[in-house]
Amino acid sequence: MILLSVVGLETFYGASQALFGVALEVQEGEVVALMGRNGMGKTTTIRSILGLERPRAGTIHFDGRQITGMRPHRIARLGIGLVPEGRRCFPNLTVLENLVAAARPGDWTVPRIVDLFPRLGERRGQYASTLSGGEQQMLAIGRALMTNPRLLILDEATEGLAPVIRQDIWAAIRTLKGRGQSILVVDKTLSELLPVADRCFVLEKGATVFSGSPAALTAELQDRYLGV
C-alpha cells in the first residue's frame, strides 16, 4: 500500500523556483532514502510535504488523502512525525518534558522510547540544553515517535554526530524498520543508509533524477549525483 505519494511537486521561494516536478513515494512499512548533494531540494521537499512551504504545482497524498497545501498542524495530526535538521529540542524542558510535550495515544510510550534509547532514561530529568548533540538527536527521534506517526521523516539523521553515536542512531533505525515503521530518511552516510533502505530517490537541481533499489544505484550514479 502506498502511504505517501508525491507527484510533480513544484515549490518556489519568492520568484526563485526550488523544486521542478519532484516525484517520490513511500510504501507502508518501507524505508525510503531521499538523497542528493547539498542544495538540491531535499529539505524543501520535506517542508513541502509537511505544509511548511506551499507548492505551486503537483500533488501530495498521504494514506490516500490529498494533503497538498494543508496546514502543517493538520498534516501532523494525520500521522507524519518529523525529526528536523538541527534537532530543535526544547532547550528549557527536561528530556521527559520534551517527550510528552507532543505525545499522542498509541504504542509509543516513554518506557518504549527509553528501551530504544537507554541514555534518555538515564537523563530524563536533565534539560535538553545540557545534552550532547547525539543525545539531542535521540531525544528528537523519541519526541517524534511519541506522536505515534504512521510515517517518520528524518532530515539529516546523523549529520555532525560522532561515529559511535551515528552507529546508535542507525541501530535504532534498523530496529524501527524491523517493527514495520514507515520511514523517509535524508542522510549522506551511504555506507549506512543504503543497507537499511528499501528504495532510493535522488534529487538533482530540484528534480528527481533517480528512483530505484539501492542495488540499482551504481557506483557511477553515486559519483554522478552524490559525489563531491
Side-chain angles (χ1 to χ4, degrees):
M1 171 187 169
I2 297 175
L3 184 60
L4 175 71
S5 173
V6 176
V7 178
L9 199 62
E10 297 183 9
T11 300
F12 289 69
Y13 292 107
S16 299
Q17 187 168 359
L19 300 183
F20 298 81
V22 167
L24 65 88
E25 67 177 34
V26 181
Q27 300 272 354
E28 187 97 41
E30 186 177 47
V31 175
V32 169
L34 180 60
M35 309 165 75
R37 296 185 183 94
N38 288 342
M40 293 301 169
K42 304 184 299 296
T43 295
T44 300
T45 297
I46 289 172
R47 289 179 61 83
S48 299
I49 291 169
L50 294 169
L52 298 169
E53 302 294 340
R54 183 177 290 270
R56 290 195 192 175
T59 59
I60 306 166
H61 286 81
F62 179 71
D63 196 22
R65 177 175 181 175
Q66 182 163 207
I67 62 171
T68 317
M70 190 180 288
R71 295 296 295 264
H73 69 277
R74 294 184 60 199
I75 293 173
R77 287 174 183 167
L78 291 176
I80 301 181
L82 172 66
V83 180
E85 184 178 8
R87 298 175 280 276
R88 302 183 191 176
C89 300
F90 302 117
N92 297 323
L93 297 183
T94 66
V95 167
L96 181 59
E97 289 168 341
N98 266 273
L99 291 176
V100 302
R104 301 185 69 197
D107 291 338
W108 283 104
T109 59
V110 171
R112 284 195 69 192
I113 298 298
V114 170
D115 183 57
L116 184 66
F117 294 121
R119 291 188 188 207
L120 296 183
E122 298 167 5
R123 290 157 175 75
R124 70 173 63 203
Q126 289 184 221
Y127 290 113
S129 59
T130 69
L131 302 180
S132 70
E135 290 164 349
Q136 289 185 20
Q137 184 70 340
M138 294 175 186
L139 180 56
I141 294 172
R143 182 181 60 187
L145 288 172
M146 286 288 289
T147 69
N148 280 281
R150 297 278 306 282
L151 174 65
L152 180 66
I153 299 179
L154 298 103
D155 192 3
E156 298 294 355
T158 65
E159 184 177 35
L161 302 181
V164 65
I165 300 298
R166 288 204 301 266
Q167 293 304 313
D168 289 343
I169 299 297
W170 286 116
I173 292 172
R174 290 191 293 270
T175 297
L176 293 174
K177 178 179 180 177
R179 295 177 179 176
Q181 176 68 55
S182 305
I183 303 173
L184 176 63
V185 57
V186 173
D187 201 89
K188 299 182 182 71
T189 315
L190 300 187
S191 61
E192 297 290 348
L193 179 56
L194 293 180
V196 77
D198 296 297
R199 279 190 298 160
C200 304
F201 292 84
V202 178
L203 302 186
E204 175 82 2
K205 297 180 181 178
T208 304
V209 293
F210 172 86
S211 63
S213 70
L217 189 60
T218 63
E220 178 185 354
L221 290 172
Q222 290 180 36
D223 184 63
R224 182 188 308 171
Y225 297 124
L226 304 172
V228 177

